[in-house]
Amino acid sequence: TNDLTEITLKMLLDEGIIEKGTVLYSDTNPTKTAKINSDGFIDLNIDGSQKLYPFPSGAARALVNLSVNGWKFWKVKISDELKEISDLRQIYKERKK
């Protein structure tokens, strides 16, 4: 089993790997963004309506109306490069060894 799937956005926040307010960029349209709130939820504005999503895949699905892996769909800017948020789970795993 892949133990990375047990790692949540809240765990990444608590470990300091991401911060409250971190901007997430959509894979399909980088001008579509969301933010991570202090509870590790994704705060997303769709057509003028703010909604909170506890999981990256739910937020991605709400945006594109398709079932997608949110951990690969959402990107975060690290050193001027967009990286999948799934990469952050690997950082967390390395720190916890």
Side-chain angles (χ1 to χ4, degrees):
T1 64
N2 184 351
D3 56 350
L4 288 179
T5 60
E6 303 300 318
I7 300 169
T8 65
L9 287 172
K10 179 69 169 139
M11 292 165 76
L12 297 177
L13 270 173
D14 291 346
E15 188 65 21
I17 295 169
I18 55 173
E19 297 177 359
K20 174 188 160 208
T22 295
V23 175
L24 300 178
Y25 299 87
S26 159
D27 182 48
T28 56
N29 181 352
T31 63
K32 293 280 189 185
T33 61
K35 287 191 178 172
I36 298 175
N37 75 6
S38 59
D39 294 321
F41 283 37
I42 295 174
D43 187 354
L44 179 61
N45 183 319
I46 298 178
D47 300 325
S49 177
Q50 287 293 128
K51 293 202 173 158
L52 293 176
Y53 296 88
F55 304 106
S57 295
R61 188 170 41 253
L63 191 61
V64 296
N65 291 321
L66 294 171
S67 183
V68 293
N69 181 338
W71 288 94
K72 296 197 172 292
F73 178 87
W74 293 107
K75 312 281 192 245
V76 63
K77 195 172 277 191
I78 299 173
S79 303
D80 286 336
E81 193 176 337
L82 290 178
K83 301 269 191 186
E84 294 177 353
I85 59 173
S86 63
D87 293 347
L88 302 178
R89 291 200 292 190
Q90 190 61 47
I91 293 169
Y92 181 92
K93 184 180 175 188
E94 292 298 317
R95 284 191 185 177
K96 293 299 182 179
K97 278 187 174 179

